[in-house]
Amino acid sequence: MQVKIAESWKPILQAEFEKPYFEQLVNFVKKEYQKYTVYPPGGLIFNAFNKCSFEEVKVVIIGQDPYHGTGQANGLCFSVADNIPIPPSLQNIFKEVQDDVGAPIPKTGNLERWAVQGVLLLNAILTVRAKEPGSHQNKGWEIFTDAVIRKISDLKENIVFMLWGKYAQEKGKVIDTNKHFVLKAGHPSPLNRSSNFLGSRHFSQANNYLIAKGFSPIAW
């Protein structure tokens, strides 16, 4: 398994890479890629950590597992590769961005432009078998990403965490709310009928907080 990450993540995550559960996870993932079609492409599994270095993290958005359709997943939560139709959840995200901060809805669903500004787009599970959502649950990824969230919470200050839906909010329980700004709303999926995501104004709230703490805002 290719672990392509920004240099600053390596000392932060090295202890996790050396734990027995991670070795078992690597073995599982390697076999899955050999036997099945698995997303994202191997070189993009850790794309979130490659595009957004540890020292640059300002915002963390937590997703669940990668898109499982052909060519969609690019290693960033809610993001799809260029020239791929924008999924419904991401359409709602872009609609909220437009309503909240006035940014036009982009033609591509590739969120690398957010990642390079300091937005860690972290899925709880980093791989998935094609057309089988949740197929790589409970194999070790959740342990790893819990550790990532905990490291960010412990070692950094004034990070904005966006927790959309019950799953993300459950993972966010390890965040020190005295040091960080935690925003919660329903999941942006249009299937979530009880969602209060639209109208949550998370993007302007995040930028206002970052500016107040002396950081540059995100160009959403």
Side-chain angles (χ1 to χ4, degrees):
M1 185 165 67
Q2 301 174 55
V3 182
K4 186 180 179 184
I5 59 176
E7 283 296 320
S8 59
W9 281 108
K10 292 179 180 177
I12 305 296
L13 300 178
Q14 190 59 42
E16 290 303 308
F17 293 151
E18 293 173 356
K19 290 181 179 178
Y21 87 85
F22 197 84
E23 183 180 353
Q24 294 168 8
L25 172 62
V26 168
N27 290 335
F28 165 77
V29 171
K30 282 181 177 177
K31 289 176 183 176
E32 286 285 292
Y33 274 87
Q34 289 167 2
K35 292 170 63 178
Y36 305 101
T37 299
V38 176
Y39 299 124
L44 295 179
I45 294 173
F46 291 89
N47 199 28
F49 303 93
N50 193 42
K51 296 297 181 185
C52 181
S53 64
F54 180 75
E55 71 268 22
E56 291 173 338
V57 175
K58 294 190 285 191
V59 178
V60 179
I61 299 176
I62 298 174
Q64 194 159 351
D65 62 349
Y67 294 117
H68 53 88
T70 303
Q72 288 183 299
N74 67 349
L76 309 174
C77 74
F78 293 105
S79 175
V80 289
D82 289 320
N83 303 313
I84 295 291
I86 297 173
S89 291
L90 186 54
Q91 289 179 23
N92 269 352
I93 290 170
F94 286 156
K95 184 176 188 300
E96 177 61 18
V97 169
Q98 183 180 51
D99 291 346
D100 188 13
V101 299
I105 293 176
K107 292 181 170 60
T108 176
N110 190 338
L111 299 181
E112 286 187 4
R113 60 191 178 83
W114 290 3
V116 298
Q117 295 181 75
V119 182
L120 182 68
L121 295 158
L122 180 67
N123 273 320
I125 302 157
L126 300 191
T127 54
V128 68
R129 204 181 289 176
K131 300 180 181 177
E132 294 186 41
S135 50
H136 287 185
Q137 285 180 358
N138 302 318
K139 301 299 182 182
W141 280 129
E142 296 94 334
I143 301 171
F144 173 72
T145 51
D146 279 351
V148 171
I149 295 166
R150 194 177 290 108
K151 290 282 190 184
I152 294 170
S153 177
D154 290 349
L155 299 176
K156 296 181 77 75
E157 294 181 352
N158 304 323
I159 301 297
V160 179
F161 288 88
M162 295 184 177
L163 308 180
W164 301 332
K166 291 180 181 178
Y167 186 90
Q169 289 163 23
E170 193 67 28
K171 281 192 80 71
K173 286 184 176 180
V174 301
I175 300 164
D176 184 345
T177 55
N178 294 316
K179 295 169 57 183
H180 306 289
F181 186 40
V182 177
L183 293 166
K184 297 180 181 180
H187 193 279
S189 170
L191 300 177
N192 184 5
R193 294 186 180 183
S194 62
S195 177
N196 61 346
F197 176 79
L198 292 174
S200 61
R201 306 293 184 190
H202 279 189
F203 303 98
S204 60
Q205 289 186 67
N207 278 352
N208 290 340
Y209 178 83
L210 291 172
I211 291 167
K213 295 299 181 180
F215 300 111
S216 57
I218 305 298
W220 299 108

